[in-house]
Amino acid sequence: MGGDTANFQRQALTDWWCSPVPGLMVHARELHRLGPANNDRLSAVRVALSVAVPGLFLLLIGRPDLMMYAVFGALTGMYGRNETHQLRLKHQAQAALFLVGGLTIGVFLSVNHIHSWWLVLVATLFAGFGSLYADSVRLKPIGPFFGILALGACASVPTNVPFTTAVLIGAASAAFSIVVGFTGWLRRRTWEAGAARDVPVLRGPLRQAALVHAARYSLAVSAAGTIGVLSGSGHPHWAMAAAAVPLAGADLPSRVHRGIHRIVGTFLGLAIVAVVLFPGPLSPLQYFPGQTAVVLAVLVVLCQFPTELFMARHYGWAMVFFTPVVLLIAQLAAPMDPGVLVMERAIETFVGAVVGIAVAVLVRAPRSRASS
């Protein structure tokens, strides 16, 4: 039976990839096709404001190195973008619990100097349980990616403040994002008693599919993290986060598309990072000597707007701007050689995305008995 399943998977992949219509041409077209607009500007303003206020506050008090915690908390604003204020409030509270949870685990690992294989193990468990949580409350953006990213990023930089301070920054930033997302309610002030998000209970086939999906995340994150550790990379969490990206797709073609978007978008984003951090006439750092932290913090805020603007319409373009956000907050927290930073990010992203695509291909939802 195992051989039949493997043959079925190989044949399905071959048929899909080699078909004259899907195949490589579809992937090429997907790289430049924008999805329809859907109130993207308003959502982008909310998220940019959620990042800007806590980020600029930290800048004013002279602690831009703590901006990482504020940014990951502020990503709460990305959830529930097109829901009513009442439902968005609940959705973002559920997202905040997940994001701040990942951040808290990451800070705990950092404070206790727990890295390498322990980080892979913890991230693997978090990916699996996070996937089940995301499916059970139907988080959108789909899946545990941002929580995994927060965990890995916070675990991989030194924590220069007490544990509780770092967590409170993230929690306060998440709370501010929820407030920003709810302020529009003041215009109408309508509240529907008993209103609830449309979230199906994970029973029967839905539960089975959620368990398989969680297994995909755990397998992809553990495999990518293992490769990252064995390669001697200083940032295996980048590979783990990248491995989770393709799995958010609804089906195999969309998962492959997301993986390719992740790679191409990240590489273009790394070009922006290189322009900013490498000495040269195009770098804004040379025009503001001694103000590196201020320039990087402002760029983080500016890049967050187009990230959210494109997130629902074209994942690759969103990654072009989100890549500088992630790398610049990491550079603020723990500066490192720009060349190493860019090279390791490129390699880890490529490895992680390929692993994620491979897992999406190999771990398929079980066929019903009627179809077998």
Side-chain angles (χ1 to χ4, degrees), residues 2 43 86 106 129 175 177 195 229 233 264 266 283:
S43 178
Q86 183 177 352
F129 287 109
S177 298
V229 172
S233 166
V264 176
T266 296
S283 173

Side-chain angles (χ1 to χ4, degrees), residues 170-317:
S173 183
F176 178 72
S177 298
I178 294 174
V179 171
V180 171
F182 192 67
T183 50
W185 175 81
L186 296 174
R187 291 164 49 191
R188 298 179 181 176
R189 301 189 183 186
T190 58
W191 191 271
E192 182 181 347
R197 299 181 61 227
D198 182 18
V199 179
V201 178
L202 296 181
R203 293 176 181 168
L206 286 179
R207 181 174 181 272
Q208 187 179 35
L211 289 172
V212 171
H213 206 38
R216 288 193 193 102
Y217 275 107
S218 292
L219 178 59
V221 168
S222 62
T226 297
I227 294 172
V229 172
L230 291 177
S231 68
S233 166
H235 300 87
H237 67 283
W238 286 338
M240 292 189 285
V245 167
L247 303 180
D251 50 28
L252 181 56
S254 64
R255 289 166 190 160
V256 175
H257 293 157
R258 283 181 66 87
I260 295 173
H261 278 216
R262 177 69 179 192
I263 294 170
V264 176
T266 296
F267 284 10
L268 292 175
L270 288 175
I272 296 176
V273 173
V275 168
V276 172
L277 296 181
F278 289 11
L282 297 179
S283 173
L285 298 180
Q286 70 166 342
Y287 300 107
F288 302 94
Q291 301 296 322
T292 297
V294 175
V295 173
L296 297 186
V298 170
L299 288 175
V300 167
V301 172
L302 293 177
C303 285
Q304 191 60 58
F305 177 83
T307 295
E308 179 63 11
L309 188 65
F310 288 108
M311 185 61 72
R313 301 186 65 190
H314 193 290
Y315 188 76
W317 274 112

Side-chain angles (χ1 to χ4, degrees), residues 113-122 155-156 225-226 228-230 233 236 240:
H113 307 288
I114 301 174
H115 302 294
S116 195
W117 294 112
W118 279 107
L119 173 58
V120 174
L121 175 60
V122 172
S156 300
T226 297
V229 172
L230 291 177
S233 166
M240 292 189 285

